[in-house]
Amino acid sequence: MENQVLGKTVENKQIIFKSYIEGIPKETDMELKIVKELNLEKVSKGSNGLLVKNLYLSCDPFMRGRMRDFTGSYLPPFVPGEVIEGFGVSKVLDSDNPDFKPGDIISGFTGWEEYSLVYNTDQMRKVQADDMPLSYHVGLLGMPGFTAYAGFYEVCKPKRGDYVLVSAASGAVGQLVGQLAKLYGCYVVGSAGTKQKVDILKDRLGFDGAFNYKEEADLDKALRRHFPEGIDIYFDNVGGSMLDAALLNMKIHGRIALCGMVSQQSLSNPQGIHNLLQLITKRVKMQGFLQSDYLHLFPRFLEDITSLYKQGKITYLEDMNEGLESAPAALVGLFSGQNTGKKVIRVAHH
Amino acid sequence: MENQVLGKTVENKQIIFKSYIEGIPKETDMELKIVKELNLEKVSKGSNGLLVKNLYLSCDPFMRGRMRDFTGSYLPPFVPGEVIEGFGVSKVLDSDNPDFKPGDIISGFTGWEEYSLVYNTDQMRKVQADDMPLSYHVGLLGMPGFTAYAGFYEVCKPKRGDYVLVSAASGAVGQLVGQLAKLYGCYVVGSAGTKQKVDILKDRLGFDGAFNYKEEADLDKALRRHFPEGIDIYFDNVGGSMLDAALLNMKIHGRIALCGMVSQQSLSNPQGIHNLLQLITKRVKMQGFLQSDYLHLFPRFLEDITSLYKQGKITYLEDMNEGLESAPAALVGLFSGQNTGKKVIRVAHH
């Protein structure tokens, strides 16, 4: 029983955020710290908090945005010298919160460490016992999956037969967008950064077409080849040159959903986009969005996607590393496309 | 009676488009031609056409887009050596079209010349006898006014109390956007390029604030000064640096309507926009539009705006030149902001 550890003194490994950065994150921007004697006392009365054991931690591109000293965004920056925060799946050891009890599996924001004291439980969800793998709750059934779901249905407003482009298409969000678009009756082409990923898009995820953007000298030409009639929906996960090329290939009344812009997250002076005049001549709607604005749809999402997955109608690619120590390299790897599918760290076997 | 000219031989002055251009239009890109002996015969039977005498011609920024050799836009390019085409108000001299009869006043596409044979009458409207000045039908009651109306209500989706920025705010479109926004209960600030225009915005058009963008070293700072709480709606008539600065100042769930981008129309390599990441963090919708997609609203627009004007609730600034010969300079002047209000050429007194 997990509860047997309560009151004991254990070691707690942590990943510490060192200091604010410029450019692409490096492993040395984080460091492993071992708190030798963490006293696993009960959560104090009246704190409304939880003591949890972290099982899975999620590596997400948005975390780069919290590594700079900028408070004007939708999440506060990390605190230098403190544990990195991210989405995770955890097991409750002790609870002062009436919504959660010891033994519950939960998903939401937690620390990059073995054990966490969690006080902000507003967005914490209890994971219902099920035969879906627990790690899926930071991917297919968590924030990235819900981003794909809300972005595709609510922002892209698809129509059957639409021509759909997805960038970073094998990533945590892109892989689900493409498959939902196929199920909706769209024609779907994905871009990715290796031959292996391109093959996966076509062979395992059922995309109609796919290309390696690193091998295309002219992205506009590549898009014209894949979309001779133009693009109705561009689900943008990268920004930059791909967005500029997509703008040149939009159809009249097309829609662009902006999600993440991973290529621009690390630039202090982001790349200029030159083809916005196309938004006028083609009457295109371009919309940035965050999944957190659509949380009322979360229960329906969970039901829909779980059902599609169990029917074998969608595939989920997960790329898991073992051990908290591997987390910094895994996070850094996102920004050079090292991962194939959703990047997750297994911290402990439950 | 106008019909007395039918069958006669008259002189027809024309403004000819010389050849495709790069950069900002110059007067020498057009030339005056006098057709010495235009035989004002009746329109041939079965042509469905009209013979018209042009009264007012409209100078509009979108015409720049037709001066380049590019067929992929929403209107075909001008034909070198042929008469320039634009919006106008004309009087029907002869008609083979059952919808129009001699003596009717019409508005729609016509030629930059004294007399025109018009065969494409699909979008031609009959101007109802009224006490509104006829020239208003290429401005307040025509394409620019309708652009403001459709763009503000249908694209910007205003709410009472919204903070609204309008660029090129004393222009044909901007002046009406700002006044509609005030009538809707919004807080409205306009940008313009001279002190005189800024004074007009505040003193005559009732804007809450206005500034001369040419005197602001830092547009971001200027916007922060005028919108300490941020911008809900940016009605963009210019693109470029103003758009980039507005992006930095949008409020959450803000809306940007892209209309014309006059600063970018003449550039073969348009200026890069660097702050699109803001669309995501602030969940902003940016939409390009053309008034022609909303024509079902035109009758309501005409009724609403005519009524508001007659009640003295809106002001209309028109900048009129006399004589067809003045048209090239008037069109060119749009691109350096020479006009104050809607630029119109009076070709003939009716």
Side-chain angles (χ1 to χ4, degrees):
Chain A
M1 271 298 291
E2 296 292 345
N3 277 0
Q4 292 171 343
V5 301
L6 280 185
K8 282 195 185 166
T9 294
V10 297
E11 209 182 71
N12 190 25
K13 282 188 205 151
Q14 303 182 311
I15 304 295
I16 302 294
F17 173 64
K18 283 162 77 179
S19 58
Y20 295 118
I21 67 169
E22 298 268 324
I24 289 170
K26 302 180 301 299
E27 288 188 53
T28 52
D29 298 326
M30 297 161 267
E31 67 184 347
L32 182 73
K33 180 177 159 185
I34 300 176
V35 178
K36 290 279 181 200
E37 303 196 347
L38 176 76
N39 191 346
L40 288 179
E41 290 181 56
K42 285 179 178 275
V43 182
S44 54
K45 287 279 174 211
S47 69
N48 212 39
L50 307 173
L51 173 67
V52 305
K53 180 180 178 186
N54 295 313
L55 306 177
Y56 298 98
L57 297 173
S58 177
C59 294
D60 294 294
F62 81 88
M63 296 169 75
R64 168 62 185 82
R66 303 186 70 183
M67 299 175 92
R68 55 188 188 143
D69 189 12
F70 175 68
T71 55
S73 195
Y74 57 100
L75 285 172
F78 291 139
V79 179
E82 300 283 327
V83 173
I84 286 186
E85 189 186 54
F87 285 104
V89 176
S90 315
K91 184 172 193 171
V92 176
L93 299 182
D94 190 25
S95 170
D96 183 54
N97 187 309
D99 296 336
F100 304 96
K101 61 178 196 306
D104 282 351
I105 303 293
I106 59 176
S107 78
F109 272 125
T110 187
W112 276 31
E113 55 190 340
E114 293 178 286
Y115 299 94
S116 295
L117 280 162
V118 175
Y119 294 108
N120 184 356
T121 54
D122 292 352
Q123 310 233 336
M124 201 54 97
R125 292 185 194 100
K126 205 184 306 192
V127 171
Q128 301 306 321
D130 192 315
D131 50 358
M132 297 289 277
L134 287 185
S135 62
Y136 283 25
H137 289 276
V138 292
L140 180 67
L141 304 176
M143 182 277 287
F146 186 54
T147 298
Y149 184 90
F152 181 64
Y153 294 117
E154 300 298 311
V155 181
C156 297
K157 300 211 178 358
K159 293 189 299 292
R160 204 180 139 78
D162 273 352
Y163 290 87
V164 176
L165 170 67
V166 186
S167 52
S170 69
V173 177
Q175 59 174 292
L176 185 55
V177 171
Q179 293 180 85
L180 291 178
K182 280 301 298 172
L183 289 169
Y184 207 84
C186 300
Y187 179 89
V188 183
V189 175
S191 70
T194 66
K195 180 179 184 309
Q196 184 212 5
K197 292 179 187 177
V198 167
D199 290 344
I200 286 174
L201 291 175
K202 291 193 283 195
D203 301 339
R204 293 197 49 200
L205 300 180
F207 281 54
D208 297 291
F211 63 96
N212 180 349
Y213 72 90
K214 290 180 181 166
E215 286 186 350
E216 299 289 344
D218 183 335
L219 289 174
D220 175 30
K221 252 189 207 160
L223 293 179
R224 269 184 278 150
R225 198 171 69 233
H226 283 283
F227 296 98
E229 300 187 58
I231 301 167
D232 291 294
I233 291 174
Y234 173 37
F235 195 103
D236 177 76
N237 287 305
V238 298
S241 309
M242 188 67 82
L243 175 56
D244 234 351
L247 282 164
L248 294 174
N249 288 278
M250 295 306 292
K251 285 175 75 172
I252 285 173
H253 297 140
R255 288 132 278 150
I256 300 176
L258 296 181
C259 178
M261 284 199 187
V262 68
S263 80
Q264 304 300 302
Q265 287 272 0
S266 300
L267 306 176
S268 327
N269 186 17
Q271 196 177 331
I273 298 295
H274 296 269
N275 299 320
L276 293 178
L277 196 55
Q278 299 290 324
L279 294 181
I280 301 179
T281 55
K282 304 289 179 55
R283 295 89 100 186
V284 170
K285 195 180 288 181
M286 179 155 96
Q287 188 174 352
F289 76 101
L290 294 176
Q291 51 88 28
S292 48
D293 284 339
Y294 300 89
L295 291 176
H296 57 285
L297 301 175
F298 198 89
R300 199 181 79 190
F301 150 75
L302 212 51
E303 197 176 312
D304 286 356
I305 299 300
T306 303
S307 159
L308 286 170
Y309 183 81
K310 289 186 174 173
Q311 293 171 62
K313 290 189 177 164
I314 49 179
T315 297
Y316 176 55
L317 301 177
E318 193 178 56
D319 183 340
M320 196 180 291
N321 280 23
E322 195 72 30
L324 185 67
E325 297 84 345
S326 68
L331 179 60
V332 168
L334 287 182
F335 298 91
S336 53
Q338 296 291 312
N339 57 308
T340 299
K342 170 64 198 169
K343 191 79 209 178
V344 179
I345 312 298
R346 174 151 41 200
V347 181
H349 294 258
H350 53 286
Chain B
M1 269 297 291
E2 295 292 346
N3 277 0
Q4 292 172 345
V5 302
L6 280 186
K8 283 196 186 167
T9 295
V10 297
E11 208 181 70
N12 191 26
K13 282 187 206 153
Q14 303 181 311
I15 304 294
I16 301 293
F17 173 64
K18 283 162 75 179
S19 58
Y20 295 118
I21 67 170
E22 298 269 323
I24 290 171
K26 302 180 302 297
E27 289 187 52
T28 51
D29 298 325
M30 297 161 267
E31 66 185 350
L32 182 72
K33 180 177 160 187
I34 299 175
V35 178
K36 289 278 181 202
E37 301 196 349
L38 176 75
N39 192 344
L40 289 178
E41 290 180 57
K42 284 184 180 269
V43 181
S44 53
K45 284 282 174 211
S47 69
N48 212 39
L50 306 173
L51 172 69
V52 304
K53 179 179 179 184
N54 294 313
L55 306 177
Y56 298 99
L57 297 174
S58 178
C59 294
D60 294 294
F62 81 88
M63 296 169 75
R64 168 63 185 83
R66 304 186 69 182
M67 298 174 93
R68 57 190 185 138
D69 190 11
F70 175 68
T71 55
S73 194
Y74 58 99
L75 284 173
F78 291 139
V79 180
E82 299 284 326
V83 172
I84 286 185
E85 188 187 56
F87 285 104
V89 176
S90 315
K91 185 172 194 172
V92 177
L93 300 183
D94 190 26
S95 170
D96 182 56
N97 186 309
D99 296 337
F100 305 96
K101 60 178 196 305
D104 281 351
I105 303 293
I106 59 176
S107 78
F109 272 126
T110 187
W112 276 30
E113 57 191 339
E114 292 178 289
Y115 299 94
S116 295
L117 279 163
V118 175
Y119 293 107
N120 184 356
T121 54
D122 291 352
Q123 310 233 334
M124 201 54 95
R125 292 185 194 100
K126 205 185 306 193
V127 171
Q128 301 306 323
D130 193 315
D131 51 357
M132 298 291 277
L134 287 185
S135 62
Y136 283 24
H137 289 275
V138 292
L140 180 67
L141 305 177
M143 181 278 287
F146 186 55
T147 298
Y149 184 91
F152 181 65
Y153 294 117
E154 300 299 311
V155 181
C156 297
K157 299 208 176 2
K159 293 190 300 291
R160 203 179 140 77
D162 273 351
Y163 291 87
V164 176
L165 170 65
V166 186
S167 53
S170 68
V173 176
Q175 58 174 293
L176 185 56
V177 171
Q179 294 181 85
L180 292 178
K182 280 302 297 172
L183 289 169
Y184 206 83
C186 300
Y187 180 88
V188 183
V189 175
S191 71
T194 67
K195 181 180 183 308
Q196 185 212 5
K197 292 179 187 178
V198 167
D199 290 344
I200 286 174
L201 291 175
K202 291 193 283 196
D203 302 339
R204 293 197 50 201
L205 301 180
F207 281 53
D208 297 292
F211 63 96
N212 179 349
Y213 72 91
K214 290 181 181 166
E215 287 187 348
E216 299 289 344
D218 183 335
L219 290 174
D220 175 30
K221 253 189 207 159
L223 293 179
R224 270 184 278 152
R225 199 172 68 231
H226 283 282
F227 296 97
E229 301 187 57
I231 301 167
D232 292 293
I233 290 174
Y234 174 36
F235 194 103
D236 177 76
N237 288 305
V238 298
S241 309
M242 187 68 81
L243 175 57
D244 234 352
L247 283 163
L248 293 174
N249 288 277
M250 295 306 291
K251 286 176 75 172
I252 286 174
H253 297 140
R255 288 131 278 152
I256 299 176
L258 296 181
C259 178
M261 284 199 185
V262 69
S263 80
Q264 305 300 302
Q265 287 272 2
S266 300
L267 306 176
S268 331
N269 186 16
Q271 197 177 330
I273 298 295
H274 296 268
N275 299 320
L276 293 179
L277 196 55
Q278 299 289 325
L279 295 180
I280 301 178
T281 56
K282 304 290 178 54
R283 296 90 98 188
V284 170
K285 195 180 289 182
M286 180 154 95
Q287 188 174 349
F289 76 101
L290 294 177
Q291 50 87 30
S292 47
D293 284 339
Y294 300 89
L295 290 177
H296 57 287
L297 301 176
F298 199 89
R300 198 181 81 191
F301 150 75
L302 213 52
E303 196 176 314
D304 285 358
I305 299 299
T306 302
S307 158
L308 286 170
Y309 184 81
K310 288 187 175 172
Q311 292 170 62
K313 289 189 176 165
I314 49 179
T315 296
Y316 177 55
L317 300 177
E318 192 179 57
D319 183 340
M320 196 181 291
N321 280 24
E322 196 71 32
L324 185 68
E325 297 84 345
S326 68
L331 178 61
V332 168
L334 287 182
F335 298 90
S336 54
Q338 297 290 313
N339 56 309
T340 298
K342 170 64 198 168
K343 192 80 209 176
V344 180
I345 312 297
R346 173 153 39 202
V347 181
H349 294 257
H350 52 285

